[in-house]
Amino acid sequence: DLTYFFGVNESVSFVRMYYEPKKGDSYEDDDQHRIYPIITAIIDVKKGIVQGLDYDNSCGFCGKDKCADNTYTFDGKNPKSMRKGCYLTRKKCNELAENGDTTCDLKFYFVWTGTDIDGKSFQSSQYRFSAFPPSSIMNQFKNFF
């Protein structure tokens, strides 16, 4: 497994998978291993103080058949505020990489919600991928379809 999390000040996010091998299958079974290459982290701020960290649902890039649970606590359990993500198989990622395609490279986006120290609202949250209809982002991430 290859996982990641992030922290800002005293806040720490849940854990997300980038690479998830299929349990019980052989390592060579590339069609069963999952890669989750796109993540949007949401940083919630009030008057300039970080209140919490979360992830955006990342299933606007794919159909339901390629969308799976992808958020865990540090002990490996799914939290109540489950976030999902789109995945590609390792086989598909290997095929893409052989042709110079970087679709499966990890892409980390950050958005801010709330207010700065002066009480001014942050604007980036409205531009996170889940705020747009899936059809408007399909062309950017065509390899998921």
Side-chain angles (χ1 to χ4, degrees):
D1 297 354
L2 179 57
T3 61
Y4 54 87
F5 69 96
F6 70 104
V8 177
N9 293 337
E10 295 178 13
S11 296
V12 179
S13 72
F14 288 116
V15 176
R16 298 276 312 246
M17 291 279 184
Y18 167 67
Y19 173 71
E20 180 181 27
K22 179 78 171 172
K23 307 292 188 255
D25 285 337
S26 71
Y27 183 77
E28 290 78 25
D29 193 2
D30 282 346
D31 217 20
Q32 297 298 312
H33 299 267
R34 296 176 175 179
I35 294 174
Y36 298 86
I38 300 171
I39 181 65
T40 300
I42 303 170
I43 303 168
D44 183 34
V45 182
K46 183 177 181 181
K47 294 268 187 180
I49 306 290
V50 174
Q51 302 296 303
L53 308 172
D54 202 356
Y55 294 106
D56 198 19
N57 266 330
S58 302
C59 288
F61 307 103
C62 60
K64 290 182 181 180
D65 63 323
K66 295 288 184 198
C67 177
D69 293 342
N70 188 25
T71 308
Y72 303 91
T73 58
F74 282 92
D75 61 1
K77 297 177 182 169
N78 295 113
K80 292 179 183 175
S81 64
M82 172 56 65
R83 301 290 186 239
K84 296 182 178 214
C86 290
Y87 69 88
L88 291 141
T89 64
R90 188 173 69 184
K91 180 179 181 180
K92 177 69 173 176
C93 286
N94 287 340
E95 291 169 3
L96 292 168
E98 287 173 8
N99 293 313
D101 192 305
T102 60
T103 297
C104 294
D105 289 356
L106 182 61
K107 294 158 192 70
F108 222 121
Y109 302 94
F110 289 90
V111 298
W112 301 80
T113 185
T115 57
D116 67 12
I117 198 165
D118 297 321
K120 294 179 185 172
S121 294
F122 292 118
Q123 304 296 313
S124 61
S125 175
Q126 64 189 349
Y127 298 107
R128 68 192 185 283
F129 292 118
S130 68
F132 295 95
S135 60
S136 69
I137 57 176
M138 284 179 158
N139 288 335
Q140 290 182 7
F141 300 96
K142 61 182 179 282
N143 288 320
F144 277 110
F145 304 98

